[in-house]
């Protein structure tokens, strides 16, 4: 209220002063004798005698002009001006713009002068001018020169606007490039974060598997103790006193196992991965993830369970090694075979290996003793579990890290094992003794033997000359494996042999119910799904068969023999005697190469020939003749 009274007093004082000034400026010869002047001065004197007005005048005298202006602004206006205020330092340090055109020129160049409405309007104007300028014009007249100058000016303006538009487009491209570079940087950061998350996930899953194994063992011990307590008869005190004189009580003696009692076998548990890595899905196809020196000789077989999981490799140096693909290091060596391993398969935590010593061994990789983190701070009891030295260089794992992995050995073949495949409790093996054997993995026994030569003779004797699936007179290649590849699914078995035939067996009857004729060389690899069967041969071709009709669905020719092949839901990959893997994209229908032959050629290096290749969900592993294993996204 006080401020309002002061304002009103100032307004009244201002009106008095204005009135007095108007009278003073007016055409009056003697203002003092005029009654209006006297009355006005009397009112001013009365106003000046008021204390409130005197204090207001003194306050105004002490107030700066800036404060006077601010006193007339509302609080919102003051806040808005404070936010929009730019200090002089910022105005002096305005960065120089690299554009050669101003904002107005950019607006003028980007203004839609040539839209439909503008064209119509321009067309009407040009028609009116044309009607006015229909009279002939002398080329040398001033009017013609003026018109040409005007046209030149218009064209120069258009040329200038086109230059401005071109600079604007170039600036936008540079801005987009900067944004793309920033996005690539952000993407790399997130990829590193995803890789760390998957490493933590793998370590946690390994710990969960360890806890589950210990829980199973504790539960089995508790069950055995409970069953033993229930089976032990209760003895009275008299019976106990009678047996005190003996060397050992009968009840305790009965608990000792006999010498010929076979040890109890417990069925190995299948440890299936609870999570699947997705990091490789975010890399460009053909990107190398890592390269490892796995062996010192030609790699004969390799397989892995899942992307960034466990890989097993075998070579001509008679070694079988297990690798952690997530860390890129060897976690152990499998010992037991007396010769090189020719074929192997990894399924979840189980491994089957077939060797040149004519034996097949089953392994449980979940019983391997290793630390996935490779930590250096470990207990004394577990000091051999970290496979990385303080200098951060990979070292060979201890000899006992895989000691608990062997399960049992299958012995029945008379020559080296060249192919095997298992699914569930059924395993089928192929050997150079020209037989196929079906094994029951529950008790480790051979339940059926299939003679390939007998089946070929039966097909020759019973087949007709015009039948589409008849035995050919092609002789087997002596340098190739007699049984090159096979795959089993329940009671169905597909087998490719050295005579180029692909035979489909029924394990329930042990008979060949179809033979696929087409390859002109030994079959080295095959794989089938619900509809198609894909085979690779030394005749330098890959053939896709329709299992419903037995006919060839498609075929691809290469420059060298096919030594290994596998497919997933989208791609068919094969090793065709080159330093690259041949990839066929079934979705896009295109062929392309992936491998060290592309990346290292630019560095003037010549990598070794690829012998084996495996792929799962776009994650590809290839083994070479020099013992190097490469991991790629495909």
């Amino acid at each position: 209220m006080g401020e309002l009274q002061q304002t009103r007093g100032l307004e009244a004082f201002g009106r008095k002063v204005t009135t007095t000034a108007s009278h003073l400026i007016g055409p009056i010869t003697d203002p003092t004798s005029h009654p209006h002047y006297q009355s006005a001065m009397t009112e001013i004197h009365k106003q000046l005698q008021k204390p409130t007005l005197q204090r207001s005048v003194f306050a105004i005298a002490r107030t700066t002009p800036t404060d006077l202006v601010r006193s007339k602004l509302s609080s919102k206006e003051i806040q808005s001006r404070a936010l929009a205020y730019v200090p002089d330092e910022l105005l002096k340090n305005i960065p120089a713009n690299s554009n050669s055109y101003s904002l107005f020129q950019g607006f003028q160049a980007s203004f839609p002068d040539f839209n439909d409405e503008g064209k119509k309007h321009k067309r009407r104007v040009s028609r009116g001018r044309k009607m006015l300028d229909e009279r002939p014009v002398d080329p040398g007249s001033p009017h013609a020169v003026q018109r040409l100058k005007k046209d030149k000016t218009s064209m120069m303006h258009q040329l200038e606007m086109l230059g401005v538009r071109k600079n604007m487009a170039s600036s936008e491209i540079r801005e987009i490039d900067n944004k793309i570079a920033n996005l690539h940087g952000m993407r790399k950061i997130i990829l590193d974060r995803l890789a760390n998350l998957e490493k933590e996930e793998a370590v946690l899953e390994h710990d969960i598997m360890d806890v589950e194994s210990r829980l199973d063992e504790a539960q089995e011990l508790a069950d055995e103790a409970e069953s033993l307590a229930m089976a032990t008869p209760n003895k009275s005190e008299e019976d106990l006193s009678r047996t005190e004189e003996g060397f050992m009580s009968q009840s305790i003696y009965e608990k000792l196992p006999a010498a010929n009692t076979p040890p109890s076998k417990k069925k190995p548990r299948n440890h299936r991965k609870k999570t699947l890595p997705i990091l490789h899905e975010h890399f460009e196809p053909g990107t190398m993830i890592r390269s490892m020196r796995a062996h010192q000789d030609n790699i004969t077989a390799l397989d892995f369970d899942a992307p960034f999981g466990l890989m097993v490799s075998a070579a001509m140096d008679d070694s079988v090694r297990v690798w952690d693909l997530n860390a890129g290091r060897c976690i152990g060596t499998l010992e037991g075979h007396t010769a090189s391993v020719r074929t192997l398969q990894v399924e979840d935590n189980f491994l089957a290996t077939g060797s040149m010593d004519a034996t097949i061994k089953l392994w449980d990789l979940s019983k391997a003793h290793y630390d996935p983190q490779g930590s250096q701070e470990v207990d004394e009891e577990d000091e051999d579990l970290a496979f990385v030295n303080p200098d951060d260089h990979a070292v060979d794992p201890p000899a006992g890290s895989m000691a608990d992995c062997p399960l049992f050995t299958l012995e029945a073949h008379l020559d080296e094992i060249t192919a095997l495949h298992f699914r569930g409790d059924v395993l089928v093996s192929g050997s150079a003794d020209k037989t196929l054997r079906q094994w029951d993995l529950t008790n480790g026994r051979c339940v059926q033997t299939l003679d390939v030569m007998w089946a070929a003779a039966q097909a020759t004797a019973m087949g007709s000359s015009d039948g589409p699936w008849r035995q050919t007179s092609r002789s087997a290649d002596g340098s190739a494996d007699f049984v090159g590849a096979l795959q089993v699914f329940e009671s169905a078995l597909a087998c490719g042999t050295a005579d180029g035939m692909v035979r489909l067996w029924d394990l329930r009857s042990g008979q060949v119910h179809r033979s696929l004729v087409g390859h002109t060389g030994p079959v080295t690899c095959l794989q089938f799904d619900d509809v198609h069967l894909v085979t690779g041969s030394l005749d330098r071709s890959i053939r896709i068969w329709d299992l419903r009709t037995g006919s060839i669905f498609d075929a691809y020719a290469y420059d060298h023999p096919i030594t290994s092949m596998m497919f997933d839901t989208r791609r068919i990959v094969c090793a065709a005697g080159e330093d690259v893997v041949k990839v066929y994209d079934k979705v896009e229908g295109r062929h392309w190469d992936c491998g060290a032959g592309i990346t290292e050629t630019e560095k003037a290096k010549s990598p070794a020939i690829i012998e084996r290749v495996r792929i799962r969900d776009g994650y590809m592993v290839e083994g070479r003749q020099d013992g190097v294993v490469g991991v790629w996204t495909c």
Side-chain angles (χ1 to χ4, degrees), residues 25 73 113 213 239 255-256 325 328 358 394 413-414 578 611:
I25 296 173
L73 300 176
D113 292 333
S213 300
D239 296 334
K255 296 176 184 179
L256 294 177
L325 291 176
H413 283 290
L414 303 177
E578 299 183 17
E611 284 288 331

Side-chain angles (χ1 to χ4, degrees), residues 66 303 560 573 575:
T66 304
D303 196 8
H560 302 280
V573 297

Side-chain angles (χ1 to χ4, degrees), residues 223-511:
D223 295 341
E224 290 179 1
E226 184 179 357
S227 61
L228 189 60
M230 294 177 63
T232 303
N234 294 327
K235 297 288 185 176
S236 60
E237 294 181 358
E238 296 179 358
D239 296 334
L240 293 175
S241 62
R242 292 174 185 174
T243 58
E244 287 179 355
E245 298 177 356
F247 175 77
M248 184 178 290
S249 65
Q250 183 69 20
S251 60
I252 297 298
Y253 181 76
E254 291 175 353
K255 296 176 184 179
L256 294 177
N260 57 355
T261 303
S264 60
K265 284 187 177 181
K266 61 178 181 179
K267 185 178 180 180
R269 182 177 178 181
N270 186 3
H271 296 278
R272 189 177 297 274
K273 283 187 171 292
K274 299 176 176 58
T275 58
L276 293 177
I278 59 174
L279 177 64
H280 63 284
E281 299 177 359
H282 301 282
F283 289 103
E284 286 291 330
T287 303
M288 174 183 282
I289 298 178
R290 68 174 68 253
S291 179
M292 302 175 292
R293 167 64 67 176
H295 299 272
Q296 300 298 328
D297 206 339
N298 185 13
I299 292 180
T300 56
L302 59 81
D303 196 8
F304 65 99
D305 58 350
F308 298 99
L310 292 180
M311 181 192 73
V312 181
S313 61
M316 293 299 294
D317 56 6
D318 298 345
S319 64
V320 181
R321 297 180 180 178
V322 184
W323 300 83
D324 183 359
L325 291 176
N326 196 12
R329 66 180 179 214
C330 180
I331 65 176
T333 302
L334 299 175
E335 298 178 353
H337 286 292
T338 59
S340 299
V341 170
R342 294 291 311 279
T343 178
L344 60 86
Q345 180 190 352
V346 179
E347 193 69 27
D348 294 333
N349 57 300
F350 294 114
L351 166 67
T353 57
S355 172
M356 296 178 68
D357 59 5
T359 62
I360 301 171
K361 290 185 178 294
L362 271 295
W363 316 76
D364 187 358
L365 299 180
S366 64
K367 296 182 179 180
H369 301 283
Y370 79 101
D371 182 10
Q373 290 180 314
S375 58
Q376 300 174 12
E377 298 179 358
V378 294
D379 299 334
E380 294 180 357
E381 299 179 356
D382 299 332
E383 61 182 357
D384 59 338
L385 302 186
F387 302 159
V388 176
N389 60 11
D391 296 333
D392 217 7
H393 296 292
V395 297
D396 293 334
S401 60
M402 314 297 289
D404 297 335
C405 293
L407 295 177
F408 50 83
T409 303
L410 306 177
E411 296 178 339
H413 283 290
L414 303 177
D415 206 338
E416 62 176 309
I417 311 298
T418 57
L420 63 81
H421 186 268
F422 70 92
R423 184 179 179 89
D425 294 333
V426 178
L427 184 145
V428 178
S429 59
S431 172
D433 60 8
K434 299 180 176 58
T435 61
L436 305 175
R437 292 185 182 268
Q438 178 183 355
W439 305 82
D440 185 2
L441 297 182
T442 303
N443 51 26
R445 294 180 180 177
C446 178
V447 297
Q448 185 174 198
T449 300
L450 306 175
D451 193 334
V452 179
M453 297 302 294
W454 180 84
Q458 290 294 109
T460 303
M462 299 177 59
S464 59
S465 59
D466 57 348
W469 306 292
R470 64 185 183 274
Q471 169 67 18
T472 63
S473 59
R474 185 183 306 112
S475 61
D477 188 356
S479 62
D481 297 328
F482 184 84
V483 180
L486 56 84
Q487 181 181 350
V488 62
F489 179 78
E490 296 181 355
S491 61
L493 171 65
C495 172
T497 52
D499 59 355
M501 298 289 293
V502 179
R503 295 176 177 86
L504 306 181
W505 300 73
D506 188 351
L507 295 179
R508 294 169 296 186
S509 62
Q511 300 291 328

